[in-house]
Amino acid sequence: MSEAGGGRGCGSSVPQRAPWSLVAAAAALCLVAATSVWTAGAAPMSREERQKLGNQVLEMFDHAYGNYMEHAYPADELMPLTCRGRVRGQEPSRGDVDDALGKFSLTLIDSLDTLVVLNKTKEFEDAVRKVLRDVNLDNDVVVSVFETNIRVLGGLLGGHSLAIMLKEKGEYMQWYNDELLQMAKQLGYKLLPAFNTTSGLPYPRINLKFGIRKPEARTGTETDTCTACAGTLILEFAALSRFTGATIFEEYARKALDFLWEKRQRSSNLVGVTINIHTGDWVRKDSGVGAGIDSYYEYLLKAYVLLGDDSFLERFNTHYDAIMRYISQPPLLLDVHIHKPMLNARTWMDALLAFFPGLQVLKGDIRPAIETHEMLYQVIKKHNFLPEAFTTDFRVHWAQHPLRPEFAESTYFLYKATGDPYYLEVGKTLIENLNKYARVPCGFAAMKDVRTGSHEDRMDSFFLAEMFKYLYLLFADKEDIIFDIEDYIFTTEAHLLPLWLSTTNQSISKKNTTSEYTELDDSNFDWTCPNTQILFPNDPLYAQSIREPLKNVVDKSCPRGIIRVREESFRSGAKPPLRARDFMATNPEHLEILKKMGVSLIHLKDGRVQLVQHAIQAASSIDAEDGLRFMQEMIELSSQQQKEQQLPPRAVQIVSHPFFGRVVLTAGPAQFGLDLSKHKETRGFVASSKPYNGCSELTNPEAVMGKIALIQRGQCMFAEKARNIQNAGAIGGIVIDDNEGSSSDTAPLFQMAGDGKDTDDIKIPMLFLFSKEGSIILDAIREYEEVEVLLSDKAKDRAAILKGKMIPSYIINSNPEMENEEQPSSENDSQNQSAEQITSSSQEVDLVDQESPEESSLNLQPESSSPTDTDNAASVSPSEQNSNPVENHETTSLDGECTDLDNQLQEQSETEEDSNPNVSWGKKVQPIDSILADWNEDIEAFEMMEKDEL
């Protein structure tokens, strides 16, 4: 085992340079040896069951990787619902999310070292040859410096690290001569122009072919970047320098880290989310451990591990102390303001913070890691997946889930640190949910909405790079892995870098700049190893005792009980500050507290109550802080109450063969007709109406009688369409958008509004599909004639859908082993987004009533509008509450009508042309029969089973 890091000792005799085993979840200063302590806390899992689950992970990887190679390669990513590759410029732009795509076969490069970890050495050798033969790094594409570094540069370095390991073993890769390293060096030099700023912080984007600022580059005008974007470079850049001897990469990455450290807020020792790359001013002054900051903290600790530079550990410990002092509110981790760290910046958390329990394990701080991990697990058990963001009372804030691996990462580290079989059961749950809810014929599809179970045509490369790696290692024994994984450190993308780099090409000056800015308390945790007797007392139920109080935290949550109040308030015996949820305008005590906080209450003529805060009128600065927080909570509460009055998305699930409920489409609801959330779902075969627009009496009533009618948007009101198909005997209706190419992936969902008249006569359910989702049903009709769908408030369990029908059992149980027996196997996945990316992917809905497709005006009083010859739609647009600090002068209305508080974000599509590609980048568009080719044997087997049964 390689050695890195440093320490002064921890009671018993400890070597001056302690051995490092990040993969075995060593604490930041000492290896935590507690495996045997925990086994009594939960029933142990047998080796046979662990092997079975490990094999299941292997099969799942084959399903994802094989479908990428068959249907998408050489494109960057697979679109698993339409079974084709995603290529920049050929699909509607998704905004910042697409900055990870550079036409360099991203998923293949990101998966290289996963192949070796999963003992697929032959596939690894073939994949390396494909990368060397096909991948071009000189494309005219603007990419994210951050994403390209962690995914592509990290992937190439991870592949190189394991290629030379295999070559040394003498069986595989004997032909390899550092070709991946040379590609990594080429890419490193292409990224270096991004660092051409006065601060040393890199531009967030760069053109692979033309660099920065040139007219052809189409980039270089940005002024801001996220902290993680600038602070998550040191591992890959330092490894590149250590591998090649070219010190420039490590120098540039260190300079960026030094600047971020210097710009931290000195009184709180926290950093903000976004920073001006030229001036060093903080643009967003909220601070947390999630999106926009997360991997900056991770890389400080891991840079100390890999490079042995004490200053990185000192910086991490300083930040960690501030995190635990201000941000950590067990079991929650809530953003605060860097200048006023006792003031919460928001009342929701994002999914990226799920990595933090794993980092706490590496630090050696186990108790809060267990607490936060358990809270996250309870959220997952409620929603099947971790929503992209959720509130402090555990309601969905952003509903999508792009198959993120951070929770699996923390689960793995907690198991390796504790040996508690409870975490094996957690991993088993993750596997079951992925197979049951995300698995589709062409891979695994991201969840569009965890509440409805609808899918998104997306399978990010990080799914293969990280998820399968952590899940396999969770269940694997040491002998199941062909190399000693404890000789390597994981990057934030789970790529493997060898620890022996700590003693290779050490030409970088290790001047300790940390102590120039801060005084460190050596008597605390900065230089001592965790005392395992304190971390793990002689109580086999210790971990269980920590988890037990959190078992019902999601279902029986009370925000007041879990949001931190100032410690000094408790010590002084003062009452906790007034929370927005508790406020009553008729309570004299509450009005007195408002006055003390500088908040005035104004009764408006229309009966509403308005609140205005002037911080200068507060009794003290602490009261002013309380007032600011109260106003922000009131804004959040007002917005939340508004959103609760809206209808959530619905689901259209194709249940006929060969789909069997495995395709779920996101649908917009209607403000009229049968409410699917209150009544049983509607199930039936679909039929197209004639006329297709449904704007007059149907000429084919016999075709839609007892069926769900398909009608096209346009030319008349939605309610008129509904009445016409209802009169023809239809049991439901699906309106398909007439805007060709529209998709719920890129356009905001909306709910169909009435026509200003009484719509109580409409008794059937009505749902809306965009063109792309509607085409899936239309293509299925062309291929199979009879297509049966289920209209519901959320996707239904396949076992319930198929009850009483003979079908292959793996379709109900999602059992990959059974699936392998009945269908042919395939030929053979990013971690962090910037804060801007997370914002642009928000799925919170904000109701704007009565949008006409031909008119730009908005009528907020539908009952007063007169019928027109156009559709009337209530738009549901992505929105996000402003998380910036509330200004000194704040106003809000208790009924939630302050519409100027909403920050609407809309990404514009951008088309980029490829220059000189080495491989063909055309879309692999396939007919429905080709998409379903993998199921042909299943169908034949099903038919044979029917005959046998007869």
Side-chain angles (χ1 to χ4, degrees), residues 23 143 462 479 692 890 921:
V23 178
V143 297
F462 55 69
E479 54 268 28
Y692 190 30
E890 290 281 357
W921 290 102

Side-chain angles (χ1 to χ4, degrees), residues 2 142 148 157 173 362 497 637 639 699 731 827 879 931-932:
S2 296
V142 176
T148 304
L157 292 173
M173 303 299 294
L362 303 187
L497 300 176
L637 181 61
S639 175
T699 60
I731 61 173
E827 290 182 359
S879 66
I931 291 176
L932 300 173

Side-chain angles (χ1 to χ4, degrees), residues 351-544:
L352 284 170
L353 60 77
F355 91 102
F356 197 67
L359 190 64
Q360 289 180 303
V361 171
L362 303 187
K363 166 63 185 168
D365 202 359
I366 305 297
R367 183 183 185 96
I370 294 173
E371 291 174 331
T372 299
H373 180 274
E374 182 62 23
M375 176 270 294
L376 294 170
Y377 185 43
Q378 296 302 318
V379 175
I380 289 175
K381 289 203 293 186
K382 181 176 182 179
H383 300 292
N384 300 319
F385 297 98
L386 194 62
E388 198 71 335
F390 54 94
T391 62
T392 54
D393 51 355
F394 309 109
R395 289 184 291 179
V396 172
H397 187 69
W398 298 337
Q400 70 271 34
H401 172 75
L403 306 183
R404 292 199 181 278
E406 286 77 18
F407 181 78
E409 174 186 0
S410 288
T411 302
Y412 166 67
F413 280 120
L414 271 168
Y415 175 67
K416 288 302 179 181
T418 66
D420 189 345
Y422 176 83
Y423 296 108
L424 296 177
E425 296 296 335
V426 173
K428 181 180 179 180
T429 300
L430 298 181
I431 292 174
E432 291 173 346
N433 288 350
L434 285 170
N435 276 319
K436 189 172 184 179
Y437 301 108
R439 188 174 182 128
V440 293
C442 281
F444 291 84
M447 305 308 295
K448 181 74 172 179
D449 193 314
V450 299
R451 297 165 298 189
T452 65
S454 58
H455 293 135
E456 187 175 356
D457 201 2
R458 169 182 180 183
M459 188 178 80
D460 291 83
S461 69
F462 55 69
F463 183 59
L464 284 85
E466 301 183 69
M467 181 68 82
F468 296 114
K469 198 174 292 176
Y470 288 124
L471 288 177
Y472 182 75
L473 290 172
L474 177 64
F475 298 104
D477 291 324
K478 192 169 185 178
E479 54 268 28
D480 296 330
I481 307 169
I482 63 175
F483 63 99
D484 191 350
I485 202 166
E486 296 185 11
D487 288 341
Y488 297 80
I489 185 174
F490 284 125
T491 69
T492 194
E493 190 77 3
H495 294 307
L496 296 169
L497 300 176
L499 290 172
W500 54 256
L501 288 176
S502 63
T503 58
T504 304
N505 291 324
Q506 298 185 61
S507 57
I508 304 297
S509 171
K510 293 184 180 179
K511 178 184 176 184
N512 188 336
T513 59
T514 302
S515 58
E516 297 177 13
Y517 304 112
T518 186
E519 290 292 331
L520 293 178
D521 182 6
D522 277 9
S523 65
N524 193 6
F525 50 77
D526 297 324
W527 293 102
T528 58
C529 303
N531 185 330
T532 56
Q533 294 301 311
I534 296 176
L535 285 174
F536 312 109
N538 295 322
D539 179 4
L541 301 179
Y542 175 65
Q544 183 178 341

Side-chain angles (χ1 to χ4, degrees), residues 568-630:
E568 55 267 29
S569 296
F570 283 119
R571 288 196 295 265
S572 64
K575 293 181 179 180
L578 178 64
R579 319 304 300 199
R581 288 187 177 274
D582 303 328
F583 173 69
M584 296 180 61
T586 57
N587 189 321
E589 184 179 354
H590 288 182
L591 297 178
E592 188 62 32
I593 295 175
L594 289 188
K595 183 178 180 181
K596 189 176 180 182
M597 295 189 300
V599 179
S600 303
L601 185 144
I602 303 173
H603 293 274
L604 303 179
K605 293 182 178 179
D606 58 7
R608 291 180 298 133
V609 177
Q610 187 178 62
L611 298 176
V612 180
Q613 200 230 7
H614 300 276
I616 196 173
Q617 297 179 5
S620 67
S621 59
I622 294 178
D623 291 317
E625 287 187 17
D626 289 343
L628 286 170
R629 186 194 60 251
F630 176 84

Side-chain angles (χ1 to χ4, degrees), residues 254-262 264 269 296-297 300-301 309-321 511-515 517-518 520:
R254 280 179 176 263
K255 184 179 179 181
L257 271 182
D258 290 345
F259 190 82
L260 288 173
W261 170 253
E262 182 180 354
R264 78 193 187 286
N269 282 320
Y296 163 68
Y297 296 133
L300 285 177
L301 179 55
D309 188 337
D310 295 343
S311 67
F312 291 130
L313 177 61
E314 294 182 25
R315 296 179 190 184
F316 173 79
N317 281 336
T318 301
H319 285 314
Y320 187 78
D321 180 53
K511 178 184 176 184
N512 188 336
T513 59
T514 302
S515 58
Y517 304 112
T518 186
L520 293 178

Side-chain angles (χ1 to χ4, degrees), residues 64-337:
Y65 181 76
N67 274 287
Y68 165 75
M69 295 304 297
E70 179 180 355
H71 298 295
Y73 182 78
D76 284 316
E77 290 179 343
L78 169 68
M79 300 172 68
L81 296 183
T82 51
C83 294
R84 67 176 192 267
R86 184 181 296 278
V87 182
R88 286 281 289 272
Q90 294 185 11
E91 298 293 336
S93 173
R94 300 175 298 169
D96 291 345
V97 177
D98 281 341
D99 287 344
L101 312 181
K103 299 182 179 179
F104 36 36
S105 301
L106 176 63
T107 298
L108 182 64
I109 294 177
D110 223 359
S111 303
L112 287 176
D113 51 7
T114 304
L115 289 165
V116 183
V117 172
L118 272 55
N119 202 7
K120 297 179 179 295
T121 48
K122 183 181 182 302
E123 292 89 340
F124 172 74
E125 192 159 4
D126 293 342
V128 172
R129 292 185 186 275
K130 284 185 172 67
V131 170
L132 300 180
R133 182 191 68 203
D134 297 337
V135 173
N136 176 26
L137 298 175
D138 197 39
N139 299 314
D140 181 13
V141 181
V142 176
V143 297
S144 161
V145 173
F146 166 77
E147 297 288 356
T148 304
N149 171 66
I150 66 171
R151 300 204 207 186
V152 186
L153 183 58
L156 292 171
L157 292 173
H160 170 71
S161 299
L162 298 188
I164 59 178
M165 178 274 297
L166 290 172
K167 184 176 182 179
E168 290 174 0
K169 286 181 175 290
E171 183 177 356
Y172 294 96
M173 303 299 294
Q174 296 305 299
W175 55 270
Y176 182 71
N177 192 29
D178 295 351
E179 288 88 348
L180 291 178
L181 180 60
Q182 296 309 312
M183 288 186 69
K185 188 176 181 180
Q186 176 191 358
L187 181 59
Y189 278 118
K190 285 185 172 294
L191 296 178
L192 283 184
F195 292 83
N196 188 22
T197 61
T198 55
S199 66
L201 299 178
Y203 282 94
R205 299 173 185 84
I206 194 167
N207 188 298
L208 289 174
K209 188 177 183 68
F210 297 109
I212 295 287
R213 290 186 176 178
K214 294 180 182 178
E216 306 94 330
R218 305 185 304 281
T219 190
T221 59
E222 302 93 337
T223 59
D224 307 334
T225 193
C226 72
T227 300
C229 299
T232 311
L233 299 160
I234 188 63
L235 291 189
E236 293 83 1
F237 272 51
L240 183 57
S241 288
R242 302 294 175 99
F243 271 130
T244 64
T247 62
I248 187 170
F249 303 109
E250 186 172 345
E251 290 171 354
Y252 274 58
R254 280 179 176 263
K255 184 179 179 181
L257 271 182
D258 290 345
F259 190 82
L260 288 173
W261 170 253
E262 182 180 354
K263 290 299 180 179
R264 78 193 187 286
Q265 212 291 321
R266 300 302 175 87
S267 62
S268 67
N269 282 320
L270 295 172
V271 292
V273 174
T274 55
I275 190 171
N276 187 296
I277 60 176
H278 303 296
T279 66
D281 295 332
W282 291 110
V283 179
R284 280 188 55 185
K285 301 176 183 179
D286 45 322
S287 181
V289 296
I293 303 180
D294 47 5
S295 50
Y296 163 68
Y297 296 133
E298 178 186 0
Y299 269 38
L300 285 177
L301 179 55
K302 292 184 176 179
Y304 166 63
V305 178
L306 184 64
L307 308 178
D309 188 337
D310 295 343
S311 67
F312 291 130
L313 177 61
E314 294 182 25
R315 296 179 190 184
F316 173 79
N317 281 336
T318 301
H319 285 314
Y320 187 78
D321 180 53
I323 291 169
M324 300 309 292
R325 190 185 303 271
Y326 304 119
I327 296 171
S328 177
Q329 303 169 39
L332 308 184
L333 293 163
L334 290 178
D335 285 19
V336 299
H337 298 283

Side-chain angles (χ1 to χ4, degrees), residues 300 548 754 779 864 908:
L300 285 177
E548 195 61 35
D779 289 344
S864 65
Q908 302 298 326

